[in-house]
Amino acid sequence: MKRLSIIGLLAIAGVAVAQGSPEQTPAMAEPAQRLRLVDVPAASGPKRSLFDGRDLADWDAWLGYADPSITYRGAPGASPIGTARPGNQDFAVRTIDGAPAIWVKGETWGSLVNKADLRDYHLRLQFKWGTKRYAPRLREAQNNGLLYHTHGEPGAVFGTWSPSVEFEIMRGSTGMVVMVGKQLRGRTDVVTDPRLIAPQLRYRLGGREVDMINGTPTWNVEAATDAERPTGEWNTLDLYVVGDRAVHVVNGVPVAQIRDLATIAPDGTRVPLTHGRIQLQSEGAETWFRAITVEPIKTLPRIVAAR
């Protein structure tokens, strides 16, 4: 999902976005924080691959609307496409750079959902951007995402994705944390950065705590820094998850962490969110994924300030 559309999404949700207030727009942005990862846990069991390099038998596809431009606003009578169309039009296994990878076309928004229900793990994958981009994102940053702790019904969010937490994959914002679904919560630490489009929140170790809530001005938090490599190069993403906590790492650089992940029950009770499937998004840009592995862990690495 895309932070550039936050104002429109908040308007849909009926949330007023106040801009220009002293709290939201300080006179000066703090410098980027340099972070490093320590106490990286050893695997507590065998590593396994979520992509066998042959086919997508372990994955289920879901597609949103034929016209992606209506995703966030809907349209009378419009319905999601649903399960993937035949003929590998949207997702496929193809060879690139001499090895098999998952190809995501990106033209129709949706996701490829792995069937495994994961908890307490270290997931690693590689991605790189393809050359093609599609409307309505032709003039915007390339956009995709790794969604985890996926639960609920396919297409429950904007007819296109399942409720989940997002490890954003987007030029300039890879590693950003996004709440995908109205009943999700998660706490993290931030600083206000006036260089960002609303909600102007960037992850910062030792910053002030916010409770991330979809449909409010705290529903996404930008990565601490941009650690992505130039377009055309492979990037390595590491996602560490233990219980209701997670750490996002881009090319070896920690860029965000979140805690107290939860869903909200009908009676308002906060229920810890500790497991779920992963989704590889399709959201306007051709993208390649490969070397997707997962191994069990019992502790999270720590993020510390670099010296």
Side-chain angles (χ1 to χ4, degrees):
M1 272 189 190
K2 166 193 177 194
R3 68 178 166 86
L4 297 183
S5 60
I6 178 67
I7 295 175
L9 288 173
L10 293 178
I12 291 172
V15 177
V17 181
Q19 298 191 65
S21 67
E23 181 180 5
Q24 289 222 351
T25 311
M28 183 179 298
E30 296 187 39
Q33 191 177 41
R34 296 176 59 244
L35 303 171
R36 63 188 181 94
L37 209 61
V38 299
D39 297 339
V40 177
S44 59
K47 179 186 295 186
R48 60 190 180 94
S49 177
L50 298 184
F51 171 50
D52 64 13
R54 298 186 301 273
D55 56 42
L56 298 177
D58 293 330
W59 301 77
D60 294 319
W62 180 268
L63 297 172
Y65 298 99
D67 177 5
S69 69
I70 71 172
T71 300
Y72 297 135
R73 57 183 172 81
S79 298
I81 295 169
T83 55
R85 296 168 286 205
N88 298 327
Q89 298 180 51
D90 305 284
F91 309 100
V93 177
R94 297 183 177 180
T95 298
I96 184 171
D97 296 339
I102 295 176
W103 170 77
V104 176
K105 184 178 182 180
E107 182 175 18
T108 304
W109 294 4
S111 63
L112 198 59
V113 188
N114 190 263
K115 295 178 180 180
D117 189 351
L118 303 174
R119 69 170 68 233
D120 298 346
Y121 60 90
H122 166 209
L123 183 142
R124 171 172 287 181
L125 64 74
Q126 294 182 327
F127 88 90
K128 79 169 185 175
W129 300 111
T131 59
K132 296 182 179 179
R133 299 166 68 178
Y134 300 93
R137 294 272 170 85
L138 290 172
R139 297 184 179 181
E140 300 169 2
Q142 291 154 302
N143 195 315
N144 211 307
L146 164 64
L147 280 59
Y148 60 98
H149 280 356
T150 295
H151 58 282
E153 295 299 318
V157 181
F158 298 117
T160 305
W161 301 289
S162 295
S164 50
V165 185
E166 182 169 4
F167 186 135
E168 180 71 80
I169 300 174
M170 177 179 173
R171 286 300 293 168
S173 297
T174 296
M176 179 169 68
V177 184
V178 184
M179 296 289 102
V180 182
K182 291 183 178 179
Q183 301 304 315
L184 287 175
R185 301 288 188 274
R187 294 186 175 97
T188 191
D189 302 312
V190 304
V191 64
T192 301
D193 187 341
R195 296 167 295 189
L196 300 174
I197 290 175
Q200 298 184 336
L201 300 177
R202 185 181 295 279
Y203 173 75
R204 190 171 187 88
L205 184 67
R208 73 179 188 276
E209 181 180 88
V210 295
D211 197 9
M212 299 185 67
I213 304 173
N214 185 283
T216 78
T218 60
W219 82 301
N220 66 354
V221 170
E222 180 62 270
T225 189
D226 180 8
E228 188 180 335
R229 292 176 180 147
T231 297
E233 295 185 18
W234 288 97
N235 295 271
T236 298
L237 305 185
D238 288 285
L239 170 64
Y240 295 89
V241 180
V242 173
D244 60 358
R245 299 172 295 153
V247 174
H248 296 189
V249 182
V250 179
N251 294 318
V253 179
V255 297
Q257 60 183 338
I258 189 165
R259 58 188 176 274
D260 300 330
L261 291 168
T263 59
I264 303 301
D267 64 359
T269 303
R270 193 169 183 134
V271 181
L273 180 59
T274 61
H275 65 97
R277 294 161 290 153
I278 66 163
Q279 303 175 67
L280 303 179
Q281 271 190 324
S282 171
E283 199 178 355
E286 182 183 35
T287 315
W288 299 87
F289 295 93
R290 71 180 186 186
I292 308 171
T293 62
V294 64
E295 58 187 13
I297 56 175
K298 294 183 177 179
T299 61
L300 285 179
R302 289 190 303 115
I303 297 178
V304 299
R307 295 182 179 179

